[in-house]
């Protein structure tokens, strides 16, 4: 895998750009980073607000050959971001299963992972990471004002985007390439950061409320309702 990072001023979506690169052959970079996105995408078909200069919009391209548990990819990426926010911004963040990073004033980061297959075999994971770095809550569009936040809002500090991007890429390398944690340790660390464990949650696919009790060994959210226990691997889960 190359060490090359592609920096773009503006792009539709770093995930889409990375997808095109993977499908067109040629040298695959380690990451694609953009200063702004015109069509930043989020989970469940939502868009990701990606204005110029205020956020980190990047896609880390992971060769999945040495990945044991594909389901753990997004969770591991969340952990990589949470660790960087802790070490370099002195922020204690929590992970809202499966892919949001929360600070006390709201969601600061979202992660969207796409798997790329070639001849029916999964070849790459495109890990799209969006972090709101500078600006204030009041600057957000009306529909996300109440839920989203920025590092600046939380700390009154404007962090260097390029520095944080570099540290996140380094930590992703440590986790995915250098295997600084076993999968068991990843799950343990994610549990320590979990925003959901011990809370009542609403599982949309089931259309009802459960109590979140654990993270499974493959990154699923283990929920309970009386005697019934389920492991949720995809879809939307909200705080009740
Ligand atoms: C979510 O919160 O639902 C996931 C948001 C993921 C946003 C990032 S920004 C970089 C990459 N490119 C995209 O179009 N989306 C991801």
């Amino acid at each position: 895998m190359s060490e090359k990072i592609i920096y773009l001023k503006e792009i539709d979506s770093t995930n889409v750009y990375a997808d095109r690169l993977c499908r067109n052959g040629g040298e695959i970079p380690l990451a694609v980073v953009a200063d702004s996105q015109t069509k930043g995408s989020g989970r469940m078909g939502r868009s990701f607000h990606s204005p110029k200069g205020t956020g980190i919009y990047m896609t880390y391209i992971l060769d999945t050959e040495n990945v044991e548990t594909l389901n753990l990819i997004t969770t591991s990426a969340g952990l990589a971001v949470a660790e960087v926010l802790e070490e370099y911004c002195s922020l204690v963040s929590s992970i809202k299963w499966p892919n949001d990073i929360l600070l006390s004033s709201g969601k600061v980061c979202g992660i969207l992972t796409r798997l790329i297959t070639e001849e029916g075999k999964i070849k790459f994971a495109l890990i799209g990471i969006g972090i709101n770095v500078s600006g204030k809550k009041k600057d957000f569009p009306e529909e996300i004002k109440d839920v989203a936040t920025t590092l600046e809002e939380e700390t009154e500090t404007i962090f260097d985007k390029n520095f944080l991007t570099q540290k996140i890429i380094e930590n992703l390398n440590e986790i995915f390439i250098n295997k600084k944690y076993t999968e068991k340790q990843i799950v343990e660390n994610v549990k320590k950061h979990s925003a959901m464990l011990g809370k009542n949650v609403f599982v949309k696919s089931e259309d009802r409320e459960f109590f979140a009790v654990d993270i499974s060994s493959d990154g699923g959210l283990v929920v309970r309702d009386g005697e019934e226990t389920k492991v949720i691997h995809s879809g939307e889960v909200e705080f009740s």
Side-chain angles (χ1 to χ4, degrees), residues 41-68:
S41 56
R43 291 182 80 225
M44 310 290 161
R46 286 191 282 259
S47 63
F48 188 80
H49 183 58
S50 314
K52 185 171 180 291
T54 61
I56 293 173
Y57 317 116
M58 59 173 278
T59 298
Y60 179 86
I61 305 176
L62 176 67
D63 184 333
T64 49
E65 185 153 344
N66 295 316
V67 176
E68 275 172 56

Side-chain angles (χ1 to χ4, degrees), residues 214-240:
D214 204 359
I215 304 288
S216 65
S217 60
D218 63 352
L221 184 69
V222 184
V223 295
R224 189 169 294 155
D225 179 17
E227 294 296 291
E228 184 187 6
T229 300
K230 278 184 176 287
V231 185
I232 312 293
H233 279 111
S234 61
E236 284 206 85
V237 182
E238 288 300 332
F239 294 112
S240 309

Side-chain angles (χ1 to χ4, degrees), residues 13-15 37 40-43 48 58 107 110-112 128-130:
S13 151
T14 56
N15 273 12
Q37 297 183 120
S41 56
R43 291 182 80 225
F48 188 80
M58 59 173 278
K107 168 174 166 174
I111 301 177
L112 179 66
I129 300 175

Side-chain angles (χ1 to χ4, degrees), residues 38-150:
T38 53
K39 273 193 183 163
S41 56
R43 291 182 80 225
M44 310 290 161
R46 286 191 282 259
S47 63
F48 188 80
H49 183 58
S50 314
K52 185 171 180 291
T54 61
I56 293 173
Y57 317 116
M58 59 173 278
T59 298
Y60 179 86
I61 305 176
L62 176 67
D63 184 333
T64 49
E65 185 153 344
N66 295 316
V67 176
E68 275 172 56
T69 309
L70 292 171
N71 271 339
L72 269 181
I73 290 177
T74 302
T75 311
S76 307
L79 179 63
V81 173
E83 287 185 339
V84 168
L85 296 185
E86 198 159 324
E87 187 166 352
Y88 298 101
C89 309
S90 305
L91 280 169
V92 178
S93 57
S94 54
I95 302 173
K96 175 176 168 276
W97 186 93
N99 67 333
D100 290 347
I101 309 279
L102 309 181
L103 299 176
S104 59
S105 52
K107 168 174 166 174
V108 74
C109 165
I111 301 177
L112 179 66
T113 303
R114 289 261 173 280
L115 296 176
I116 303 286
T117 49
E118 244 176 57
E119 291 163 4
K121 194 170 172 281
I122 295 169
K123 289 283 288 180
F124 300 107
L126 307 181
I127 306 171
I129 300 175
I131 305 178
N132 307 319
V133 177
S134 53
K136 290 298 183 90
K137 272 174 99 80
K138 63 176 174 43
D139 306 325
F140 281 125
E142 209 51 55
E143 61 276 16
I144 56 170
K145 247 183 199 148
D146 290 343
V147 287
T149 194
T150 69

